[in-house]
Amino acid sequence: MLPLRARMIEDMSLAGLADATQKAYIQAMRGLAAHCHRSPDLLSEEEVRRYLLDPRQRGVARGTFQIARYGLRFFYHHTLDRAWALFGEKKDRLAPAEAAA
């Protein structure tokens, strides 16, 4: 097993994700790697964004799209510790007190 895959599985276990969810998230990562022909940790935010646009433009069911998106978000946020705007985790968000001012 590849080290990144093993790490993601460990992270999902620690997060308490169900087996079926873990399998779906791993499948999402396989799809991304196969599509881009590179390890997912080497991809840029823009490359992942373009990958996610394809099923949306093809009209894939919302649920199918969301599980893939959540899987990718889990990998990039939890396993690689990347806060990407693509997944709603903007680095430059103001703290609630600053936003109210």
Side-chain angles (χ1 to χ4, degrees):
M1 180 181 303
L2 297 174
L4 271 178
R5 183 173 186 238
R7 175 65 189 259
M8 183 177 177
I9 291 170
E10 290 172 356
D11 291 343
M12 290 187 294
S13 294
L14 288 172
L17 299 181
D19 288 341
T21 301
Q22 290 185 32
K23 288 177 185 174
Y25 284 11
I26 292 296
Q27 184 61 37
M29 295 308 302
R30 271 194 212 120
L32 175 64
H35 178 82
C36 295
H37 305 289
R38 292 202 332 250
S39 178
D41 64 318
L42 301 176
L43 299 175
S44 69
E45 182 177 8
E46 183 59 27
E47 289 171 305
V48 176
R49 181 183 170 281
R50 285 193 310 262
Y51 170 75
L52 286 171
L53 278 174
D54 181 59
R56 293 302 288 167
Q57 292 171 341
R58 288 186 290 117
V60 169
R62 186 175 191 272
T64 302
F65 171 78
Q66 286 294 74
I67 194 72
R69 183 179 174 276
Y70 293 150
L72 299 180
R73 181 179 70 179
F74 186 92
F75 175 74
Y76 285 103
H77 182 71
H78 293 282
T79 304
L80 295 183
D81 196 28
R82 294 182 187 170
W84 284 354
L86 174 64
F87 300 118
E89 297 149 358
K90 295 187 180 194
K91 294 178 187 176
D92 59 351
R93 282 193 180 157
L94 295 175
E98 292 172 322

